[in-house]
Amino acid sequence: MENGYHPVIVVAAYNRSDSLKRILSSLEKAHYPEKVKLVISIDNNGANQHVADAANAFNWKFGEKEVIYYSERQGLRNHILKCGDLSLKYGSIIMLEDDLYVSPYFYDYTLKALDFYGDEPRLGGISIYGLPFAEANKLPFTAIEDDSDVFFMQMASSYGQCWTAKHWESFRNWYNTGPDLKAINGLPEKIKNWSESSWKKFYIGYLIIHDKYFVFPRHSYTTNFNDPGENMIMRSLYVQVPLEIFDRKVKFKKIDEAKNIYDAYSEILPECINDMNPALRDYDYDVDIYGKKDYISKPYVLTTRPVKKTVMGFERSMKPHEMNVIMNISGDEIRLAKSQDLIHREANITEFSKEYAYFYTPIFRSSMLLQIVRNRLKEKYKAKLGRKS
């Protein structure tokens, strides 16, 4: 590639041999324009030799393979940090945890992204996972459409990401100072309270402190099975996304030219809105359209929370919800108000129902649920009659 990056693939594993075999099978199906080194890094709990055996048995046909099997327990955070340190050795890595599955074109995409963004100082990493939800509240997220195939967020990716040595060295130097996450304004409280095993909450804090972002693809080149493990008691499929299986011609955009830049709460930046709706340019405001932000720093706020007095109002009908503001759809569900007029309380049942109805199809209304039951009973009755005749 033009910038000389040749990212090493690093797979982090622990005690899930079936998960490891699955991701390795996906790596085996992928396209590589050059020889690629594969590193399988395994934390040791004293009872996972079967995972090391699966790693050693795997035949990597596309270059050198190295298996790192630690002699003693590292813990999740320290293990991922040591995997990240490999970027300092190799210049760049693609980091994959063992419950992921990759697109056949994940490596091609990463090379193209590195070619375009490898030296971009405002970036802290390159995601190869397309983010479908807001990490701070787990509600659905969609970036606004533009003429590119990417968007930017002050959020670290952990479901498939690429770090260059510059990305990682800057983060590591900050991390080694022992930062206090509780003191970082703009880092969501829910993220601050993630498990102590989380490396990711530190990386998000680093992005906020240094005003850096990850670039995310609209079409995901990884998906996640979220297998039970150290952080998961049971499988959850909310992180499964459609996987890109075609060799798409990707269009990138510089972050300084982008209009789809989001903060750590997955809220679009005010300057992006101002560029598309000049009516808000005279106000200094925070964006809180999800209504979950626990840190408001500006004199005004654009929010779905209740307020004492509204300066300007918009509907919450178009998707994604910031489009209602951008297109100036007048209403009373998204409100621009003085921050001092924000009413801080838990959402009542009416407000919660409106939020649920906006983000999800309200199939649990009694009339719709009864219709579903009737249709299912009819199908079963017809099937039984068919078998008898």
Side-chain angles (χ1 to χ4, degrees):
M1 302 300 289
E2 292 179 11
N3 55 26
Y5 287 110
H6 305 275
V8 168
I9 300 170
V10 179
V11 176
Y14 177 42
N15 60 359
R16 302 179 294 198
S17 59
D18 288 342
S19 299
L20 177 60
K21 291 174 184 177
R22 185 178 58 219
I23 188 174
L24 293 178
S25 73
S26 72
L27 289 171
E28 196 171 28
K29 299 183 186 86
H31 299 266
Y32 305 99
E34 56 190 11
K35 290 289 185 180
V36 180
K37 179 168 182 173
L38 171 66
V39 176
I40 304 172
S41 181
I42 306 166
D43 197 1
N44 191 336
N45 67 355
N48 62 348
Q49 181 61 46
H50 61 294
V51 180
D53 291 342
N56 286 319
F58 178 66
N59 181 25
W60 179 242
K61 303 174 184 177
F62 305 99
E64 181 186 352
K65 183 190 78 173
E66 179 184 358
V67 176
I68 300 171
Y69 187 35
Y70 288 95
S71 59
E72 57 186 24
R73 183 80 167 97
Q74 300 299 304
L76 177 59
R77 191 207 303 181
N78 195 45
H79 184 206
I80 299 300
L81 290 174
K82 287 193 172 183
C83 288
D85 288 343
L86 293 174
S87 64
L88 304 177
K89 179 179 181 180
Y90 296 112
S92 60
I93 65 167
I94 296 173
M95 178 72 213
L96 303 167
E97 295 193 35
D98 59 1
D99 57 352
L100 300 178
Y101 195 91
V102 301
S103 156
Y105 297 99
F106 85 100
Y107 199 83
D108 290 330
Y109 172 81
T110 305
L111 288 179
K112 292 171 185 173
L114 278 170
D115 206 25
F116 195 89
Y117 295 113
D119 298 319
E120 170 54 62
R122 293 185 65 188
L123 290 189
I126 296 169
S127 178
I128 53 179
Y129 175 76
L131 193 63
F133 58 90
E135 289 266 25
N137 54 55
K138 296 299 188 282
L139 288 171
F141 167 83
T142 304
I144 62 171
E145 295 286 346
D146 67 356
D147 59 346
S148 76
D149 295 301
V150 297
F151 61 91
F152 302 87
M153 189 178 290
Q154 207 155 54
M155 177 62 57
S157 177
S158 59
Y159 300 145
Q161 65 272 15
C162 175
W163 288 308
T164 67
K166 285 183 180 180
H167 292 152
W168 190 257
E169 184 177 31
S170 180
F171 162 71
R172 254 306 201 173
N173 289 340
W174 175 82
Y175 177 84
N176 291 339
T177 65
D180 178 12
L181 295 187
K182 295 292 184 183
I184 299 178
N185 294 327
L187 180 62
E189 286 296 323
K190 286 188 177 180
I191 292 177
K192 290 179 182 179
N193 294 327
W194 281 354
S195 166
E196 282 306 301
S197 66
S198 172
W199 64 269
K200 185 173 177 177
K201 64 181 181 179
F202 286 92
Y203 212 104
I204 300 167
Y206 158 77
L207 295 175
I208 293 169
I209 289 293
H210 292 84
D211 193 27
K212 292 179 182 288
Y213 297 81
F214 262 65
V215 58
F216 287 83
R218 290 188 184 277
H219 304 278
S220 189
Y221 292 85
T222 63
T223 190
N224 193 333
F225 283 82
N226 234 3
D227 297 322
E230 188 170 356
N231 279 338
M232 292 296 299
I233 298 174
M234 59 186 294
R235 175 182 277 192
S236 171
L237 299 181
Y238 78 92
V239 289
Q240 278 280 359
V241 293
L243 191 65
E244 179 58 76
I245 60 172
F246 296 101
D247 189 9
R248 181 182 296 275
K249 186 176 181 180
V250 182
K251 185 174 181 181
F252 297 105
K253 176 171 280 193
K254 294 292 186 183
I255 188 170
D256 292 335
E257 300 171 357
K259 299 294 186 291
N260 50 5
I261 310 174
Y262 297 82
D263 65 18
Y265 293 87
S266 302
E267 300 282 6
I268 193 167
L269 299 191
E271 50 264 40
C272 294
I273 292 178
N274 293 344
D275 284 346
M276 293 178 278
N277 184 354
L280 281 80
R281 288 180 181 172
D282 292 336
Y283 299 92
D284 186 16
Y285 61 95
D286 277 317
V287 180
D288 179 42
I289 305 179
Y290 278 107
K292 313 295 182 185
K293 191 167 278 189
D294 38 45
Y295 178 72
I296 305 296
S297 63
K298 303 291 181 61
Y300 290 84
V301 61
L302 186 67
T303 185
T304 51
R305 289 172 171 170
V307 297
K308 296 174 184 175
K309 184 179 179 181
T310 300
V311 175
M312 196 181 304
F314 308 90
E315 276 196 36
R316 197 189 202 182
S317 301
M318 299 181 74
K319 295 188 178 183
H321 48 202
E322 58 264 32
M323 284 298 297
N324 296 279
V325 182
I326 291 167
M327 304 309 294
N328 210 19
I329 307 299
S330 180
D332 62 358
E333 293 179 280
I334 301 173
R335 310 166 190 98
L336 180 69
K338 290 184 177 179
S339 297
Q340 65 191 35
D341 289 335
L342 188 62
I343 298 174
H344 296 275
R345 61 167 173 75
E346 291 295 322
N348 60 38
I349 188 63
T350 300
E351 292 160 351
F352 177 80
S353 297
K354 284 184 177 181
E355 177 184 82
Y356 187 90
Y358 175 77
F359 284 111
Y360 306 103
T361 302
I363 63 170
F364 297 111
R365 290 183 305 186
S366 58
S367 60
M368 296 183 71
L369 190 57
L370 283 172
Q371 188 60 46
I372 291 171
V373 172
R374 286 192 196 102
N375 291 341
R376 293 288 171 85
L377 289 174
K378 284 180 182 179
E379 290 170 5
K380 287 187 176 181
Y381 183 68
K382 288 179 180 178
K384 285 183 179 179
L385 285 177
R387 285 196 295 269
K388 289 178 180 179
S389 59

